[in-house]
């Protein structure tokens, strides 16, 4: 794709209460769409089994993370369940300028900061709701990643997280995974077609107007 015809990428903010499916949706969207890139955040959370530094997260200790805050290296950062998470500024800017769409798997705090950042014109925000609270708990237990105390804590936090649904551009209910995935793709396609994101349109319209002058001079 030439620079003249480049449509700038968008930032897709995907949020939900823990266990409602945002991470699974983000992963499948990235695996099935070569233009969608997963935003790899920095975190102070220890790696889980199978996680690789630089793939799921950039794992940092608190000293390094605080240094990055002081150096203004984050678009946003937040404390979640006792650990810090942050979105890297330089990497994100480079991706959207190259036409890539960047998807963010973040909680409502991170979503708010991204929507309120200097990159707000590029942001499209989507909130994922569970079909029921019972199914949300079942999903948390079936992940087998947290003990019962942690699951109970996440359930307590879920009500607060869900209360932020109306702050998002789009809200989808994750009842049927494939249907929700397809709905997100439709949102992305529509948002990419917005006039403000087709940066070559002024030049194209100018070329059409120039053609009027050429046509009128023809016999």
């Amino acid at each position: 794709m030439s620079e003249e015809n480049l449509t700038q990428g968008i930032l897709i903010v995907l949020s939900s209460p823990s266990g409602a499916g945002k991470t699974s949706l983000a992963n499948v969207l990235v695996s099935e769409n070569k233009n969608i890139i997963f935003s790899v955040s920095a975190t102070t959370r220890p790696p889980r089994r199978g996680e690789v530094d630089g793939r799921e997260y950039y794992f940092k200790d608190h000293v390094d993370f605080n240094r990055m805050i002081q150096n203004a290296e984050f678009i946003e950062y937040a404390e979640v369940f006792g650990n810090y998470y942050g979105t890297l500024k330089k990497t994100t800017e480079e991706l959207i300028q190259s036409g890539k769409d960047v998807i963010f798997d973040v909680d409502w705090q991170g979503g708010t900061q991204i929507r309120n950042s200097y990159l707000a014109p590029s942001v499209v925000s989507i909130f994922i709701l569970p079909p029921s609270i019972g199914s949300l708990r079942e999903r948390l237990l079936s992940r087998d990643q947290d003990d019962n105390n942690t699951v109970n804590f996440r359930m307590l936090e879920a009500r607060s997280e869900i209360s932020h649904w109306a702050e998002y551009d789009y809200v989808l209910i994750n009842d049927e995974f494939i249907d929700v995935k397809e709905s997100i793709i439709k949102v992305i396609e529509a948002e990419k077609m917005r006039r403000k994101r087709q940066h070559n349109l002024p030049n194209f319209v100018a070329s059409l107007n120039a053609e009027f002058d050429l046509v009128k001079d023809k016999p």
Side-chain angles (χ1 to χ4, degrees), residues 114-156:
I114 295 170
R115 293 197 309 273
N116 292 337
S117 74
Y118 68 100
L119 290 174
S122 299
V123 173
V124 177
S125 60
I126 305 171
F127 197 89
I128 306 298
L129 290 170
S132 69
I133 300 305
S135 67
L136 180 65
R137 182 175 179 80
E138 289 176 6
R139 290 176 184 179
L140 287 171
L141 290 170
S142 66
R143 293 193 311 186
D144 198 28
Q145 292 178 345
D146 302 308
D147 57 30
N148 285 335
N149 287 336
T150 302
V151 169
N152 290 335
F153 179 69
R154 292 187 187 277
M155 289 297 296
L156 288 173

Side-chain angles (χ1 to χ4, degrees), residues 13-206:
V13 173
L14 201 61
S15 300
S16 76
S18 182
K22 68 181 184 301
T23 301
S24 297
L25 286 164
N27 286 337
V28 75
L29 286 165
V30 169
S31 68
E32 294 181 358
N33 300 272
K34 63 182 181 180
N35 201 62
I36 300 177
I37 306 299
F38 197 84
S39 174
V40 180
S41 300
T43 183
T44 59
R45 173 176 71 70
R48 290 172 178 158
R49 184 174 63 250
E51 291 183 332
V52 177
D53 183 52
R55 186 179 67 187
E56 283 80 16
Y57 290 97
Y58 295 106
F59 295 100
K60 305 291 182 181
D61 60 28
H62 285 272
V63 173
D64 282 342
F65 199 96
N66 286 329
R67 175 186 55 77
M68 295 171 76
I69 293 173
Q70 295 302 316
N71 291 338
E73 296 181 37
F74 296 124
I75 297 172
E76 59 80 28
Y77 65 92
E79 183 181 4
V80 183
F81 300 122
N83 290 298
Y84 284 91
Y85 297 79
T87 300
L88 298 171
K89 181 185 296 185
K90 184 175 184 293
T91 303
T92 304
E93 290 175 348
E94 290 173 348
L95 286 170
I96 62 170
Q97 288 169 6
S98 71
K100 297 294 184 181
D101 302 321
V102 183
I103 193 164
F104 294 85
D105 169 6
V106 293
D107 74 326
W108 70 268
Q109 297 177 74
T112 298
Q113 291 189 52
I114 295 170
R115 293 197 309 273
N116 292 337
S117 74
Y118 68 100
L119 290 174
S122 299
V123 173
V124 177
S125 60
I126 305 171
F127 197 89
I128 306 298
L129 290 170
S132 69
I133 300 305
S135 67
L136 180 65
R137 182 175 179 80
E138 289 176 6
R139 290 176 184 179
L140 287 171
L141 290 170
S142 66
R143 293 193 311 186
D144 198 28
Q145 292 178 345
D146 302 308
D147 57 30
N148 285 335
N149 287 336
T150 302
V151 169
N152 290 335
F153 179 69
R154 292 187 187 277
M155 289 297 296
L156 288 173
E157 291 293 306
R159 174 173 288 183
S160 173
E161 291 166 351
I162 289 173
S163 71
H164 295 275
W165 68 272
E167 300 166 13
Y168 286 70
D169 298 321
Y170 300 88
V171 180
L172 302 172
I173 301 172
N174 189 10
D175 195 359
E176 294 293 336
F177 185 86
I178 294 177
D179 291 344
V180 176
K181 181 197 73 171
E182 293 300 323
S183 293
I184 294 172
I185 292 172
K186 290 176 182 177
V187 166
I188 294 170
E189 290 174 347
E191 289 288 340
K192 294 277 282 187
M193 294 300 294
R194 283 185 180 270
R195 175 178 54 79
K196 67 180 181 180
R197 295 196 173 105
Q198 297 190 60
H199 293 174
N200 191 51
L201 280 179
N203 291 334
F204 181 73
V205 173

Side-chain angles (χ1 to χ4, degrees), residues 203-217:
N203 291 334
F204 181 73
V205 173
S207 71
L208 291 178
N209 287 327
E211 280 191 67
F212 277 118
D213 295 331
L214 293 174
V215 170
K216 74 178 182 180
D217 293 335

